[in-house]
Amino acid sequence: MVPFAGYSMPLAYADAGQIASHNHVRSKVGLFDVGHMVQSNFRGKTATEFLEWVTPSSLSSLSPYSSTLSVILNERGGIIDDTVITKHAADAFYVVTNAGRRDRDLAWFKEKLEEWNAGPEAASYLQTLTSYDLRGLTFGKSAFVPIEGFNLHVARGGYTGEDGFEISIPPSQTVEVAKLLSKAPVQLTGLGARDSLRLEAGMCLYGNDLDEDTTPVEAGLSWVIGKERKESGTFIGAEGVRKHLKEGPPRRRVGLTVEGAPARQHAKIYAPDTSDLLGAVTSGIPSPTLGKNIAMGYVKNGWHKKGTEVEVEVRNKRQKAVLTPMPFVKTNYWRG
């Protein structure tokens, strides 16, 4: 027995020497004790995305119960450890790492999991006020929740792009519940912040990004139309919507990153170095999170591909802009 990575490990068994054991494995079969290896299980809706963040492997395309050799990387691209990752399902992975790197690996996983799962404290704060288990109230779900003696309708959503709750309060209880909900660390927040948050999340604001002359296909909201209704639905406006679905819309909603001054609503969008008008900005701000100017708008179909360079007119001056996928800031909805 010899010390190895904090364990007592068998260097050799009985009278069999290294060469004899070596040859026996080559010609017959051997049994190794590898109980010192570190075994970790990762579970959750975003397990694939998390492990694709901490490793460079394409785990989303890995078949269930298939394994791949991979590496865990630091910020410089250096190898923290090599690892074998087995995918049980999109939300379940079995990961084996080296005993000699146990402390480094587990500390790294812990740090990165905390960073991955970090976010606003809406759920943790609201949980202190109710016996209802909010973990079961996932994104897009609602329930009547007892909150400090009040029975309130709570819907879990996230117009800000973060995990959040929309709480419906009877008028007679509004002030009392609002006071209850606005204790530290909660801060009352106005429409200005709501607007910048929703734009970073790629959310539309009616009157800016949506109006009566815009179809859901142009707005990138085709997903709200039921699959069977796209073909045979008899809803009001079906003819125009179905035409855009089949032939393609004349314009498309896009995200933009804008150089120079921020582009606001109605700023014109042009093809570079030409007078060809492509469309207009519908919402635009300097992003507090990203530290750069972002905008949403509509451009002619065919000019909507991400990475396309355009120009935006701000204060009678053309500025460079690049079509950027939305959301601009990663969303953190609670899906369980």
Side-chain angles (χ1 to χ4, degrees), residues 24 172 222:
H24 191 86
S172 62
S222 298

Side-chain angles (χ1 to χ4, degrees), residues 41-87:
N41 286 288
F42 292 84
R43 300 280 189 271
K45 293 286 182 66
T46 60
T48 299
E49 290 83 355
F50 172 74
L51 289 171
E52 285 190 334
W53 180 50
V54 296
T55 76
S57 297
S58 298
L59 303 176
S60 54
S61 59
L62 194 66
S63 301
Y65 287 91
S66 296
S67 301
T68 182
L69 176 66
S70 188
V71 286
I72 304 162
L73 301 179
N74 62 26
E75 289 89 346
R76 301 183 305 280
I79 298 172
I80 294 174
D81 198 3
D82 61 316
T83 177
V84 174
I85 299 175
T86 301
K87 179 180 183 178

Side-chain angles (χ1 to χ4, degrees), residues 259-283:
E259 295 183 9
R264 305 293 187 178
Q265 187 180 24
H266 305 308
K268 295 176 181 178
I269 303 172
Y270 291 93
D273 303 317
T274 72
S275 58
D276 295 341
L277 183 63
L278 302 178
V281 169
T282 52
S283 295

Side-chain angles (χ1 to χ4, degrees), residues 70-137:
S70 188
V71 286
I72 304 162
L73 301 179
N74 62 26
E75 289 89 346
R76 301 183 305 280
I79 298 172
I80 294 174
D81 198 3
D82 61 316
T83 177
V84 174
I85 299 175
T86 301
K87 179 180 183 178
H88 292 163
D91 60 353
F93 288 82
Y94 168 66
V95 178
V96 178
T97 49
N98 288 301
R101 298 293 284 166
R102 169 184 288 270
D103 292 343
R104 173 67 165 128
D105 290 344
L106 294 182
W108 182 259
F109 283 148
K110 183 175 185 292
E111 176 189 337
K112 293 305 162 187
L113 279 167
E114 289 175 352
E115 187 176 336
W116 182 263
N117 291 321
E121 302 170 19
S124 58
Y125 178 77
L126 188 59
Q127 189 65 79
T128 66
L129 304 178
T130 181
S131 58
Y132 187 98
D133 188 354
L134 295 173
R135 291 175 299 178
L137 191 68

Side-chain angles (χ1 to χ4, degrees), residues 101-317:
R101 298 293 284 166
R102 169 184 288 270
D103 292 343
R104 173 67 165 128
D105 290 344
L106 294 182
W108 182 259
F109 283 148
K110 183 175 185 292
E111 176 189 337
K112 293 305 162 187
L113 279 167
E114 289 175 352
E115 187 176 336
W116 182 263
N117 291 321
E121 302 170 19
S124 58
Y125 178 77
L126 188 59
Q127 189 65 79
T128 66
L129 304 178
T130 181
S131 58
Y132 187 98
D133 188 354
L134 295 173
R135 291 175 299 178
L137 191 68
T138 54
F139 180 80
K141 301 292 186 180
S142 62
F144 280 95
V145 176
I147 299 176
E148 296 285 285
F150 301 94
N151 192 39
L152 305 174
H153 184 271
V154 177
R156 197 162 197 166
Y159 188 56
T160 62
E162 303 293 346
D163 176 32
F165 303 88
E166 187 171 278
I167 304 172
S168 179
I169 311 169
S172 62
Q173 301 172 355
T174 299
V175 174
E176 194 173 354
V177 173
K179 287 180 178 179
L180 176 69
L181 294 174
S182 57
K183 297 176 182 177
V186 180
Q187 185 180 79
L188 290 168
T189 311
L191 289 177
R194 191 189 72 152
D195 188 53
S196 54
L197 286 162
R198 69 91 189 168
L199 183 50
E200 288 186 341
M203 298 286 190
C204 296
L205 177 65
Y206 195 89
N208 280 48
D209 316 299
L210 304 174
D211 57 33
E212 292 202 31
D213 295 318
T214 302
T215 72
V217 185
E218 291 175 309
L221 299 176
S222 298
W223 57 270
V224 306
I225 310 168
K227 183 178 180 180
E228 72 286 351
R229 310 210 74 204
K230 290 179 180 178
E231 296 297 327
S232 58
T234 56
F235 54 89
I236 295 172
E239 184 179 350
V241 168
R242 200 165 287 129
K243 178 180 173 65
H244 281 185
L245 283 170
K246 291 182 177 179
E247 300 177 7
R251 60 190 185 127
R252 293 181 182 266
R253 180 169 64 95
V254 296
L256 303 103
T257 303
V258 183
E259 295 183 9
R264 305 293 187 178
Q265 187 180 24
H266 305 308
K268 295 176 181 178
I269 303 172
Y270 291 93
D273 303 317
T274 72
S275 58
D276 295 341
L277 183 63
L278 302 178
V281 169
T282 52
S283 295
I285 58 164
S287 166
T289 303
L290 301 175
K292 54 188 176 184
N293 300 319
I294 60 174
M296 188 186 296
Y298 286 82
V299 296
K300 291 179 180 178
N301 197 1
W303 281 85
H304 61 284
K305 302 291 172 52
K306 66 179 181 180
T308 299
E309 294 186 358
V310 295
E311 291 179 348
V312 178
E313 187 175 84
V314 180
R315 300 170 191 164
N316 298 317
K317 182 181 177 182

